[in-house]
């Protein structure tokens, strides 16, 4: 596949980010580096199109959900810090809850219209932050990308300057949800072109979610073709465009 790159945005090569851009703390940077090294011992991870990370402005990253390690995978190659909407039960263990809060995670009640979590995501976006959402709401059962939750559209339209589609592939094969421990594997992380809020002003929430999901499915198909993996079958008509 043509058009994929592995270098960061040139405007973000230095840790001295632009004026008004949130900077990662030393703790955040240190933990991200440790996780990157640890992940490399477990899986071969390739990251493409990091240059699509916006150098400034708030951004929602819409990512598919394949494994427990997805929050680490989708963001460890980015320069700006991320904020993570995470399942509420993950915060119940005091030690682990404090750990993930220290790297900008905040809870969401899965399976409900959690307005509190959406308000918190909106607050962080309006402060200029980057928020990652696993918009399917749960991990995939077969590797395909499921329907996206409508709350993402509200955040993209009301609070984010940019919406960035992200696709992970290979994590499902290495660690499906029914498997207790991960297996060695090859994982790809690829970012899509960021969508500016001016470009979605005329779209309904449903049209926006359909556009993002189609882009993600197409990215996934191209990624799998490039590495020789068989194509995935979508039964709802959302095949590769």
């Amino acid at each position: 596949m043509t058009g994929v790159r592995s270098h960061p945005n040139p405007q973000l090569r230095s840790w001295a980010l632009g004026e008004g851009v949130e900077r990662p703390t030393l703790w955040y940077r240190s933990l991200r580096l440790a996780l990157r090294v640890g992940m490399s011992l477990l899986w071969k991870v390739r990251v493409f199109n990091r240059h699509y990370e916006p150098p400034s402005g708030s951004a929602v990253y819409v990512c598919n959900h394949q494994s427990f390690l997805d929050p680490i995978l989708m963001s460890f190659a980015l320069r700006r810090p991320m904020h993570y909407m995470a399942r509420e039960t993950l915060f119940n263990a005091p030690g682990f809850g404090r750990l993930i809060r220290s790297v900008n995670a905040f809870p969401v009640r899965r399976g409900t219209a959690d307005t509190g979590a959406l308000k918190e995501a909106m607050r962080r976006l309006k402060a200029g932050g980057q928020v990652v959402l696993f918009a399917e709401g749960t991990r995939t059962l077969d590797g395909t990308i499921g329907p996206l939750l409508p709350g993402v559209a509200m955040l993209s339209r009301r609070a984010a300057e940019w919406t960035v589609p992200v696709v992970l592939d290979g994590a499902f094969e290495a660690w499906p949800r029914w498997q207790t421990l991960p297996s060695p594997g090859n994982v790809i992380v690829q970012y899509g072109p960021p969508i500016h809020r001016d470009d979605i002003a005329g779209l309904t929430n449903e049209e926006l979610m359909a556009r993002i999901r189609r882009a993600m499915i197409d990215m996934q198909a191209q990624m799998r073709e490039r590495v020789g993996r068989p194509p995935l079958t979508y039964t709802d008509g959302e095949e590769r465009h």
Side-chain angles (χ1 to χ4, degrees):
M1 183 178 67
T2 60
V4 293
R5 308 177 188 180
S6 58
H7 63 76
N9 188 323
Q11 298 179 65
L12 296 171
R13 289 189 182 277
S14 169
W15 287 114
L17 304 179
E19 184 178 353
V21 178
E22 180 184 11
R23 291 166 173 77
T25 64
L26 180 59
W27 166 247
Y28 184 99
R29 289 169 56 185
S30 300
L31 185 58
R32 182 162 58 182
L33 176 60
L35 291 171
R36 184 185 302 177
V37 172
M39 190 75 71
S40 299
L41 297 175
L42 175 65
W43 291 338
K44 179 181 179 181
V45 182
R46 287 172 288 177
V47 182
F48 295 100
N49 287 346
R50 287 179 290 160
H51 65 288
Y52 283 139
E53 180 181 12
S56 63
S58 57
V60 167
Y61 286 73
V62 182
C63 187
N64 62 321
H65 203 358
Q66 294 204 332
S67 79
F68 276 126
L69 297 178
D70 291 351
I72 303 170
L73 284 168
M74 73 77 47
S75 62
F76 71 34
L78 299 178
R79 304 292 283 185
R80 297 171 60 188
M82 299 297 299
H83 296 258
Y84 307 89
M85 185 182 288
R87 191 175 73 243
E88 184 181 43
T89 54
L90 295 177
F91 295 83
N92 292 342
F96 187 70
R98 285 195 297 270
L99 175 64
I100 59 178
R101 284 185 189 276
S102 74
V103 287
N104 306 327
F106 59 98
V108 59
R109 293 190 302 273
R110 195 167 68 180
T112 66
D114 190 344
T115 56
L118 291 174
K119 288 179 179 178
E120 179 61 20
M122 190 172 294
R123 183 188 70 79
R124 298 187 186 209
L125 287 167
K126 289 185 175 180
Q130 299 196 124
V131 174
V132 56
L133 301 175
F134 295 98
E136 298 161 280
T138 189
R139 285 166 290 155
T140 182
L141 290 170
D142 56 7
T144 62
I145 300 170
L148 306 183
L149 299 175
V152 175
M154 184 189 72
L155 293 174
S156 293
R157 294 165 67 89
R158 296 186 185 180
E161 182 175 354
W162 303 99
T163 300
V164 184
V166 188
V167 175
L168 308 175
D169 194 72
F172 168 74
E173 286 81 356
W175 200 1
R177 60 188 299 170
W178 56 83
Q179 187 171 299
T180 305
L181 295 173
S183 305
N186 296 315
V187 178
I188 301 174
V189 184
Q190 184 167 315
Y191 302 93
I195 306 167
H196 194 266
R197 61 185 168 203
D198 291 345
D199 296 330
I200 62 176
L203 300 178
T204 65
N205 290 348
E206 291 74 17
E207 289 170 339
L208 175 57
M209 290 296 92
R211 172 178 170 177
I212 294 172
R213 184 170 180 245
R214 281 196 299 268
M216 293 170 67
I217 290 172
D218 191 52
M219 287 168 59
Q220 183 187 53
Q222 294 174 12
M223 292 162 66
R224 293 181 69 87
E225 181 180 10
R226 186 170 78 246
V227 299
R229 291 179 182 149
L232 298 173
T233 300
Y234 283 81
T235 59
D236 60 358
E238 290 290 355
E239 301 293 348
R240 176 183 174 183
H241 283 49

